Amino acid sequence: MHEKNIVEDVIDDLVDNFAETVQKKKNVSFFEQEDTVASRFNRLFGREKPIHHVLGGGKSADVLLWRNKKISASVLMGATAIWVLFEWINFHFLSLVCYGLLLGMIVQFVWSNASGALNRSQSRVPRLVLPKDFFADVGVTVGTEVNRGLMFLQDLACRGSLKQFLMAGIGLWVAAIIGSCCNFLTVLYIGFVGAHTMPVLYERYEDEVDGFVDSLLMKFHSHYKKIDTGFLSRIPSGRFGFKKHD
């Protein structure tokens, strides 16, 4: 019953915080809002640079922040078309590759023969050649990111605090539940859509999101102290004593 009451308190606090944020947004005047924005230093994840710089500051950041709406919309529509093709129409990857190669061969065949029939000199057909280091660079990038994730989890298990360990465990448990509800392609598509919509929404409502997340983290910290005092502090320290390595 005690754990159920804590969960209910957390949900009630989330609703109250969201309502308070919306109410403050309505009641604050324009000049007071400027002072609040100027005096706020607790940005999301402790960042100090603009969101465009955090995302890399290049063309990829422009796409994610919809600086060019045509390119961003085209990328999102392309990803949606691929997801619909594989998920709804049940198209297979091998079939797509074969049809793509067949279409390319037909285009090159028609190009080479039509140019020779219409013109006396046969025009040169363009060919697609991938760089030699393309797959090597992709493999190195993927291997580096995988090793970084494994290193993070292992450092968290060996040197992290109990709070960090529990947060990582809950995150993996939630990811496992999501993975059991939908396949890997759908998870990738949801992540892709989130990556193309959340940054631009955060940039537009940056101050409201920062204030809400800040209050949410404070509430979470207070509830974690209650759980730590009532349950976690009773666990023997020798069982979860993490050794520090130099």
Side-chain angles (χ1 to χ4, degrees):
M1 295 294 294
H2 181 64
E3 295 179 354
K4 184 177 180 181
N5 293 331
I6 293 177
V7 174
E8 292 178 353
D9 293 338
V10 172
I11 296 176
D12 293 337
D13 289 335
L14 291 177
V15 176
D16 294 338
N17 287 334
F18 182 76
E20 290 177 0
T21 303
V22 175
Q23 188 66 28
K24 289 180 180 179
K25 178 65 179 177
K26 292 181 179 179
N27 295 334
V28 172
S29 64
F30 175 77
F31 298 101
E32 292 177 351
Q33 182 178 356
E34 285 187 347
D35 295 336
T36 305
V37 172
S39 61
R40 181 172 296 163
F41 296 97
N42 294 327
R43 294 299 183 186
L44 190 62
F45 303 117
R47 66 176 183 84
E48 298 178 356
K49 299 178 180 179
I51 186 65
H52 186 270
H53 191 277
V54 173
L55 294 175
K59 294 183 179 180
S60 59
D62 293 338
V63 173
L64 293 177
L65 294 176
W66 292 70
R67 295 288 190 265
N68 191 330
K69 295 183 179 180
K70 292 183 178 179
I71 297 178
S72 300
S74 300
V75 172
L76 188 58
M77 289 176 62
T80 304
I82 293 175
W83 179 74
V84 170
L85 193 66
F86 287 107
E87 191 67 21
W88 282 11
I89 306 180
N90 293 325
F91 213 74
H92 299 285
F93 180 74
L94 181 60
S95 301
L96 181 63
V97 172
C98 293
Y99 283 131
L101 293 175
L102 179 60
L103 180 62
M105 290 180 62
I106 293 175
V107 170
Q108 289 184 335
F109 178 80
V110 173
W111 188 317
S112 60
N113 289 276
S115 62
L118 297 177
N119 303 323
R120 293 183 179 179
S121 60
Q122 186 176 5
S123 62
R124 186 177 179 180
V125 180
R127 299 195 177 190
L128 177 64
V129 179
L130 295 177
K132 295 181 179 180
D133 299 333
F134 175 74
F135 293 101
D137 294 338
V138 171
V140 170
T141 303
V142 173
T144 301
E145 295 300 326
V146 171
N147 287 330
R148 183 182 300 177
L150 292 175
M151 188 65 65
F152 172 75
L153 294 177
Q154 293 177 80
D155 289 341
L156 197 62
C158 297
R159 308 183 205 178
S161 62
L162 180 58
K163 178 180 178 181
Q164 295 173 341
F165 182 81
L166 292 177
M167 290 292 292
I170 293 173
L172 292 175
W173 178 66
V174 172
I177 293 177
I178 296 175
S180 62
C181 297
C182 52
N183 56 22
F184 185 66
L185 181 61
T186 303
V187 174
L188 287 179
Y189 176 71
I190 293 174
F192 188 85
V193 173
H196 277 73
T197 54
M198 294 179 65
V200 64
L201 292 176
Y202 173 70
E203 187 183 37
R204 181 174 298 180
Y205 304 102
E206 182 176 358
D207 299 306
E208 291 81 355
V209 174
D210 288 337
F212 176 73
V213 172
D214 189 31
S215 61
L216 187 65
L217 290 177
M218 292 178 63
K219 292 292 184 179
F220 175 78
H221 187 65
S222 63
H223 286 293
Y224 174 79
K225 284 186 177 180
K226 294 179 182 179
I227 298 175
D228 186 32
T229 304
F231 175 70
L232 297 179
S233 60
R234 300 178 183 178
I235 300 176
S237 58
R239 182 176 300 178
F240 293 96
F242 299 108
K243 297 180 181 180
K244 295 184 179 181
H245 300 278
D246 295 331

